[in-house]
Amino acid sequence: MFGNRVNRDEHERLLARLDKLEQKVRRIDATTAQAAPLLQDTDRLARLAAEAQRMVEAVQAAVSGAAAMADRPHAARFRPRFNQVYQAKGYGYVTAYFTGGQTGTVRLLVGDESPPEQCIGEANVTNDINSFLGGIVRPGEHWMLQTKGAAGFTTCFTPMY
């Protein structure tokens, strides 16, 4: 009699455990069914994988640059000349701002080619607007401050590391 009671209690515990496991399997099945269309979208998965790779590379470049700068003093800021092409050795911030005098238009051009052609900022003070421009240049990128007469502008390049 004692043995039968133990078997019944054990049997009920096993049934309860089996019921919980079946509920978990049903939840997993439902989740898998919802995820299936996403997993079949190979174009989206490829885009996400490419974006993840770009992010990994950017973080690695930032860490590498920061580690390299830890062993040497920071590069100095300098005042770039207008209409001269530069190539960034590392990340940097380029700015041009109006300080007074002759007015004109200044454009920050960047790109892989020399001279660069992609405009990422423009300053023009003829209408008292846009008297400042700034932009980030990336390692290896060519850049220049293009103008046809902007003597009233001051420039600065600040290496980020």
Side-chain angles (χ1 to χ4, degrees), residues 14-151:
L14 288 173
L15 286 176
R17 188 172 176 201
L18 182 61
D19 186 48
K20 287 181 183 178
L21 287 172
E22 287 175 341
Q23 289 175 12
K24 287 182 180 180
V25 167
R26 283 192 293 275
R27 284 195 302 267
I28 290 170
D29 285 345
T31 302
T32 303
Q34 291 172 347
L38 295 174
L39 295 173
Q40 293 171 0
D41 187 352
T42 56
D43 290 339
R44 182 171 187 243
L45 292 174
R47 286 191 310 271
L48 290 172
E51 181 64 25
Q53 182 61 36
R54 283 192 297 273
M55 291 177 77
V56 166
E57 290 169 0
V59 168
Q60 288 172 337
V63 169
S64 174
M69 287 306 294
D71 296 336
R72 61 187 169 119
H74 291 288
R77 290 182 171 98
F78 70 93
R79 299 214 180 275
R81 294 182 181 176
F82 292 107
N83 302 315
Q84 180 173 330
V85 177
Y86 296 89
Q87 187 171 20
K89 293 179 182 173
Y91 284 98
Y93 186 75
V94 181
T95 183
Y97 53 96
F98 187 68
T99 53
Q102 180 182 350
T103 62
T105 300
V106 177
R107 297 173 61 207
L108 176 54
L109 304 176
V110 299
D112 294 328
E113 66 282 341
S114 179
E117 297 177 359
Q118 182 182 8
C119 180
I120 64 168
E122 183 174 309
N124 178 343
V125 296
T126 56
N127 295 321
D128 293 329
I129 58 171
N130 300 329
S131 59
F132 172 88
L133 75 79
I136 294 174
V137 294
R138 298 177 289 205
E141 197 167 48
H142 292 88
W143 61 274
M144 72 182 240
L145 292 165
Q146 181 187 59
T147 186
K148 292 180 184 172

